[in-house]
Amino acid sequence: ASLFNGDPPALPPICDTPRASGLPGTGQTQCYDSSGEPAPCDETECSGQDGFYGKGCSPEGRYSRDDRGTPEDTTDDTVTDNCTGLTWQGEVADLNGDGQATVEDRVPWCLALAYCENLTLAGHDDWRLPNVFELHSLVDYGRTFPQMDPVFGVNAGPCWSSTSSIPGLAWLVRFDTGGLSAFDKDDDSIFVRAVRSVR
């Protein structure tokens, strides 16, 4: 339960449901038979699938959205993850200020870090670029394109993490596939989503 929040003795349990393991659930509830067809989880010959056990914090009620903007302008919205205790920028960053996140809002890694470090959003100035574990916790393997809860909008583009791979590369999460990749830090085709810790 302390993966995202620090020292275990100083923290209350994050997830206290019977099925919770202290980590976010994958979102996967479907099971499959040996030919790849959907099958009841308790009847398939391929027993022990993720969908059967459903470990981790349930996706039900996991996120709370703070809608500060109008339906047309969500740039000041945030989403709190009640499982990890993190608060996220509700949409990927609109860096050029045109009211929507497009290819024009993609930046290299150093600019992503700087944007988050200097961000004031929803009355807070302690935003940062998430580490790769934090960012990857948003992947929902029960969904497709994007593989994340719709509370975060529809942008499925890759987002930078603050975690380096080797000196010239940094990890990113691809929300179209749910995968991780290490990209050149000078690549300017990656989006930004800031995070802050609230627990």
Side-chain angles (χ1 to χ4, degrees):
S2 61
L3 176 62
F4 299 96
N5 288 312
D7 183 38
L11 296 165
I14 298 171
C15 305
D16 54 6
T17 59
R19 291 167 49 109
S21 67
L23 295 173
T26 63
Q28 195 165 91
T29 57
Q30 180 64 61
C31 292
Y32 301 89
D33 63 21
S34 59
S35 64
E37 293 298 317
C41 288
D42 57 352
E43 296 177 14
T44 179
E45 69 274 22
C46 302
S47 62
Q49 296 179 44
D50 183 9
F52 176 77
Y53 287 105
K55 292 295 186 180
C57 295
S58 169
E60 298 300 318
R62 179 176 167 187
Y63 298 109
S64 304
R65 186 164 191 127
D66 182 3
D67 299 321
R68 294 173 177 263
T70 65
E72 298 79 32
D73 179 10
T74 58
T75 56
D76 203 31
D77 293 352
T78 61
V79 175
T80 298
D81 184 337
N82 299 306
C83 180
T84 64
L86 298 170
T87 294
W88 294 89
Q89 191 171 18
E91 307 284 336
V92 294
D94 172 23
L95 297 175
N96 66 6
D98 67 356
Q100 55 187 341
T102 66
V103 294
E104 303 298 320
D105 297 298
R106 301 180 304 181
V107 294
W109 187 68
C110 281
L111 288 181
L113 288 163
Y115 165 81
C116 294
E117 290 293 308
N118 294 298
L119 179 64
T120 297
L121 175 65
H124 299 282
D125 62 2
D126 56 348
W127 296 93
R128 57 186 170 78
L129 194 62
N131 71 42
V132 69
F133 285 152
E134 292 169 329
L135 189 59
H136 199 248
S137 76
L138 298 182
V139 172
D140 185 334
Y141 290 101
R143 301 179 189 275
T144 56
F145 202 80
Q147 284 195 286
M148 65 189 318
D149 193 285
V151 72
F152 291 102
V154 298
N155 190 304
C159 289
W160 284 118
S161 81
S162 62
T163 308
S164 292
S165 172
I166 58 174
L169 304 179
W171 290 104
L172 57 82
V173 175
R174 300 182 55 100
F175 290 103
D176 56 347
T177 64
L180 297 168
S181 299
F183 266 49
D184 190 301
K185 292 177 178 178
D186 291 330
D187 192 306
D188 62 358
S189 65
I190 315 301
F191 289 101
V192 184
R193 187 186 299 268
V195 71
R196 61 182 294 266
S197 302
V198 293
R199 287 189 185 160

